[in-house]
């Protein structure tokens, strides 16, 4: 085995009043403009969408929505998200959903600072180490247990 160091600076918050935790985390990070990224209608039906929007409004944060993530996310939507982030000066991506939403948000975050096509990252033509700046920060409101993508 080769020597290596693994560091995973992920904060996982469990418990009641998730909107308070969301507001605290966004405030702590100095977020100004959010890409709210989600899948289909389940967050609309279960109240999570309203909770997230309320938290963003309470903080007077500007946000843009990009819904429609499908299982096994499509690169077309990722490219759309990258363009939205670039043209609107988004400084934080908030994924609300399960694993596919989170994975799509990760791809968008990588693609924003990359000069080429984000698909390059998936075919081995480029890697995150090729980025001139860090990926766009991501937060997650997980709506399904044990997705794994959140960590």
């Amino acid at each position: 085995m080769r020597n290596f160091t693994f560091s995973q600076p992920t904060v996982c918050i469990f418990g009641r009043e998730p909107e308070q935790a969301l507001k605290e985390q966004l405030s702590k990070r100095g977020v100004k403009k959010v890409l709210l990224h989600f899948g289909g209608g389940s967050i609309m039906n279960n109240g999570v969408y309203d909770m997230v929007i309320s938290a963003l409004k309470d903080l007077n944060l500007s946000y843009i929505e990009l819904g429609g993530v499908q299982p096994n996310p499509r690169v077309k939507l990722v490219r759309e998200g990258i363009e939205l982030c670039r043209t609107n000066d988004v400084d934080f991506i908030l994924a609300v959903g399960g694993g596919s939403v989170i994975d799509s948000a990760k791809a968008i975050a990588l693609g924003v600072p990359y000069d080429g096509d984000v698909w390059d990252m998936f075919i081995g033509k480029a890697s995150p180490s090729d980025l001139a700046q860090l990926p766009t920060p991501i937060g997650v409101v997980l709506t399904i247990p044990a997705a794994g993508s959140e960590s």
Side-chain angles (χ1 to χ4, degrees):
M1 175 185 248
R2 292 185 179 174
N3 294 338
F4 68 94
T5 301
F6 177 74
S7 173
Q8 186 177 0
T10 300
V11 176
C12 295
I13 300 169
F14 300 89
R16 300 182 203 282
E17 299 180 5
E19 62 279 2
Q20 284 307 113
L22 176 60
K23 290 193 283 191
E24 288 171 17
Q25 292 299 313
L26 291 171
S27 295
K28 204 188 296 190
R29 286 163 175 69
V31 173
K32 293 180 179 65
K33 194 159 202 179
V34 175
L35 175 69
L36 177 58
H37 196 42
F38 54 92
S42 65
I43 69 165
M44 306 298 186
N45 299 329
N46 63 18
V48 173
Y49 175 85
D50 292 335
M51 181 273 295
V52 170
I53 294 298
S54 177
L56 295 174
K57 287 181 176 180
D58 285 352
L59 294 172
N60 293 316
L61 291 178
S62 179
Y63 64 92
I64 297 165
E65 295 183 21
L66 180 60
V69 177
Q70 299 174 13
N72 302 313
R74 309 306 190 266
V75 73
K76 180 180 178 188
L77 190 65
V78 168
R79 290 180 181 128
E80 185 180 337
I82 291 166
E83 187 59 31
L84 279 172
C85 288
R86 288 177 179 166
T87 58
N88 293 285
D89 295 320
V90 166
D91 63 351
F92 194 84
I93 300 169
L94 183 59
V96 181
S100 291
V101 173
I102 298 166
D103 291 344
S104 180
K106 289 177 192 176
I108 293 169
L110 279 174
V112 171
Y114 181 60
D115 288 333
D117 183 7
V118 70
W119 192 246
D120 292 348
M121 300 281 179
F122 297 92
I123 61 171
K125 186 176 174 183
S127 74
S129 63
D130 297 328
L131 299 177
Q133 64 188 48
L134 291 173
T136 306
I138 300 174
V140 173
V141 175
L142 186 63
T143 60
I144 185 169
S149 293
E150 69 279 2
S151 57

